[in-house]
Amino acid sequence: MSQREGNLEAPTRHPIDWKNPDFHDQAQCEAEMERVFDVCHGCRRCVSLCQSFPTLFDLVDATADGEVHGVAKADYGKVVEQCYLCDLCYMTKCPYVPPHPWGLDFPHLMLRAKAIRFQQGEVTRAERFLASTDVHGQFAGIPVVVQIANAVNHTSVARGVMEQVLGVHRDAWMPELATHRFRSSAAASPSTVSTNGERTPGKVAVFATCFVNYNDPGIGHDLLKVLAHNDIPYELVEKERCCGMPKLELGDLASVEASKDANIPVLARYAREGYAILAAVPSCTLMFKQELPLLFPDDADVALVRDAVWDPFEYLVARHKDGLLRTDFTQALGRISYQIPCHGRVQKIGRKTEEMFRLIGKTVAVELNTVERCSGHAGTYGIKKPFHETAMKIGKPVFKAMGKLGADGKGPDWISSDCPLGGHHIAQGMANNGLPTAPLAHPLSLVARAYGLHP
């Protein structure tokens, strides 16, 4: 095997052969983990990312000779459970990813181990429920029920029960249910004329996402306001279900396939009709752009949707480059502490939200403090009892950076992240650490505010 050190080429992802029976063979998976762990142990470049790597290195360092072969295979699961598939090690740190001959893909190896664990029935009913966003979102929008559920979930008694039954840490921030679902309360598009640009389709199909639909419709409404202000016709996709990312994080690949089978035929129709498909949660866009194409590499409709899905700021910045985005900003935003979430960083689109903020800053006052590091929230990882305190520890450098004081000695006017769950985790972490805090607003809401679209 070549001993070439490092890699100068861009990372290359290979399809996941998850329907091959060997994929779920535990012995073969453990052999591959030993090979990969040995390389990771010799490098240790990823030690500052998630808790998977410190866990692995502690296990290695505790062996008699300090080598991976001395780690018990039964302890490999301790490494696996700490991985939340953020992809940062693969996309930003590891020098041994394909096309390097050693071909390391740590996140997808952890996914394989999670899939085996799921197939063997080792994932609890509570974990499966937490990942079923379409299920617990069904109560959203029901009068009285929503108010009661939200009130109860704020009591110490209810949080104690949730900790015991669902494994949700009693101190972790939890989203409330919306009084009105986004999909049922969204305004119709006032624009009807589609103007294509050199880079951008002139009409948009909005994939609502579970969080926006059930928990924070305001993000979706602000996206629609921005599109309408720019005379971009839009419509909500005819029907949708969860993108599948929470199930992917569990290793429940059959449920991922079921979500794919429900969503892709609908989204493929919009792709064929020339729509840009936008979703306001980075994990959802990443699911359609990367994970589903790697899980289903021979599905032509999956590839079609992959090429039609845009991060909202990727679309808006491209629209500006086409000369088709209005820059009539009227409302100063002041000092913004903005975090780039992991699932945004690994989409290979650059820092598009930051570009949009800087564009706004050419017209009205914007002082931007960008933080490019993991918040530690990571899907359901940050709310689970075994991991919440670790998630807060991982996020602490972000909390401190987000609370950075300006030249006037004051903290931020806004804190923001493209990941709405991560944003709340950051807000909680800043408050818990006594750091200067501020109102939390999604970047789309700040753009709508800059346009003067907020009352």
Side-chain angles (χ1 to χ4, degrees):
M1 179 180 288
S2 169
Q3 297 300 307
R4 174 164 60 94
E5 177 66 25
N7 213 28
L8 295 178
E9 296 90 346
T12 301
R13 262 295 169 44
H14 293 303
I16 304 170
D17 192 16
W18 68 280
K19 293 198 174 183
N20 185 329
D22 288 345
F23 182 85
H24 288 94
D25 185 288
Q26 185 166 341
Q28 292 187 44
C29 181
E30 288 175 348
E32 176 64 3
M33 281 197 281
E34 182 172 354
R35 181 187 78 86
V36 170
F37 289 173
D38 191 49
V39 176
C40 293
H41 155 57
C43 174
R44 303 203 174 198
R45 185 176 177 180
C46 288
V47 70
S48 63
L49 295 180
C50 70
Q51 194 63 20
S52 287
F53 298 100
T55 299
L56 170 62
F57 304 146
D58 285 348
L59 288 169
V60 174
D61 293 344
T63 62
D65 60 359
E67 297 295 341
V68 169
H69 63 75
V71 177
K73 297 294 192 293
D75 284 337
Y76 284 8
K78 296 177 181 178
V79 179
V80 176
E81 70 180 5
Q82 295 291 343
C83 176
Y84 35 77
L85 305 180
C86 73
D87 253 14
L88 282 189
C89 59
Y90 190 97
M91 297 301 298
T92 71
K93 286 282 188 180
C94 183
Y96 304 117
V97 298
H100 190 280
W102 290 353
L104 268 64
D105 189 337
F106 190 93
H108 284 166
L109 178 57
M110 296 300 98
L111 174 63
R112 181 182 180 183
K114 289 173 184 284
I116 292 172
R117 178 174 177 262
F118 188 90
Q119 188 183 65
Q120 293 177 346
E122 296 178 19
V123 175
T124 66
R125 292 176 64 182
E127 289 178 288
R128 295 198 298 270
F129 176 75
L130 287 177
S132 301
T133 51
D134 279 331
V135 174
H136 35 86
Q138 291 305 310
F139 295 104
I142 303 176
V144 182
V145 172
V146 167
Q147 287 83 351
I148 293 174
N150 289 338
V152 169
N153 284 340
H154 283 294
T155 66
S156 59
V157 173
R159 292 308 303 264
V161 172
M162 290 175 66
E163 186 173 88
Q164 290 180 345
V165 177
L166 296 177
V168 175
H169 196 289
R170 66 181 63 218
D171 296 331
W173 174 86
M174 289 287 289
E176 293 189 344
L177 293 171
T179 54
H180 297 89
R181 297 183 188 181
F182 170 63
R183 285 181 57 84
S184 60
S185 59
S189 175
S191 305
T192 57
V193 178
S194 173
T195 304
N196 292 331
E198 180 183 351
R199 302 164 182 81
T200 54
K203 54 187 178 180
V204 164
V206 176
F207 185 86
T209 78
C210 298
F211 185 83
V212 170
N213 191 32
Y214 300 131
N215 303 110
D216 197 344
I219 297 171
H221 293 312
D222 284 333
L223 170 59
L224 301 188
K225 289 176 184 177
V226 170
L227 294 173
H229 187 71
N230 283 282
D231 300 316
I232 300 170
Y234 63 79
E235 61 180 88
L236 270 61
V237 300
E238 182 181 4
K239 58 182 179 179
E240 67 180 77
R241 63 186 290 181
C242 177
C243 69
M245 181 62 81
K247 299 294 188 179
L248 184 80
E249 292 170 352
L250 282 188
D252 182 2
L253 298 184
S255 291
V256 171
E257 184 171 32
S259 290
K260 184 270 294 184
D261 289 343
N263 285 322
I264 291 298
V266 177
L267 296 178
R269 176 172 64 81
Y270 288 99
R272 290 190 183 93
E273 293 176 3
Y275 284 83
I277 302 170
L278 271 58
V281 176
S283 297
C284 301
T285 53
L286 182 67
M287 194 68 189
F288 292 116
K289 284 185 173 190
Q290 173 179 288
E291 302 299 349
L292 289 180
L294 291 173
L295 288 166
F296 305 96
D298 299 323
D299 190 317
D301 280 355
V302 168
L304 188 67
V305 171
R306 173 198 64 202
D307 296 339
V309 168
W310 296 68
D311 170 270
F313 288 93
E314 177 190 15
Y315 178 78
L316 292 174
V317 168
R319 200 74 178 156
H320 174 63
K321 291 178 180 177
D322 282 339
L324 295 169
L325 189 79
R326 295 176 65 172
T327 57
D328 54 339
F329 305 108
T330 60
Q331 181 66 49
L333 297 177
R335 185 178 301 117
I336 303 170
S337 278
Y338 160 66
Q339 185 253 357
I340 307 175
C342 303
H343 281 176
R345 290 175 62 185
V346 300
Q347 289 185 40
K348 297 181 287 188
I349 60 173
R351 298 161 71 144
K352 298 306 180 188
T353 304
E354 183 183 64
E355 287 185 44
M356 188 69 187
F357 281 141
R358 296 199 183 283
L359 175 64
I360 295 170
K362 292 180 179 180
T363 305
V364 296
V366 176
E367 183 182 339
L368 191 61
N369 169 34
T370 300
V371 179
E372 192 175 25
R373 186 166 179 151
C374 180
S375 73
H377 187 273
T380 59
Y381 178 88
I383 67 170
K384 291 179 179 177
K385 182 180 178 181
F387 310 126
H388 175 67
E389 291 181 4
T390 300
M392 282 293 178
K393 180 180 178 181
I394 292 170
K396 197 165 186 177
V398 174
F399 310 153
K400 289 182 176 180
M402 295 285 281
K404 181 180 177 182
L405 301 179
D408 57 3
K410 296 181 180 179
D413 297 304
W414 301 97
I415 56 175
S416 190
S417 173
D418 298 284
C419 176
L421 292 168
H424 282 282
H425 182 77
I426 291 167
Q428 181 182 19
M430 293 174 71
N432 288 354
N433 285 276
L435 296 165
T437 188
L440 171 67
H442 192 276
L444 287 168
S445 298
L446 292 177
V447 174
R449 182 175 293 275
Y451 274 130
L453 303 178
H454 277 197

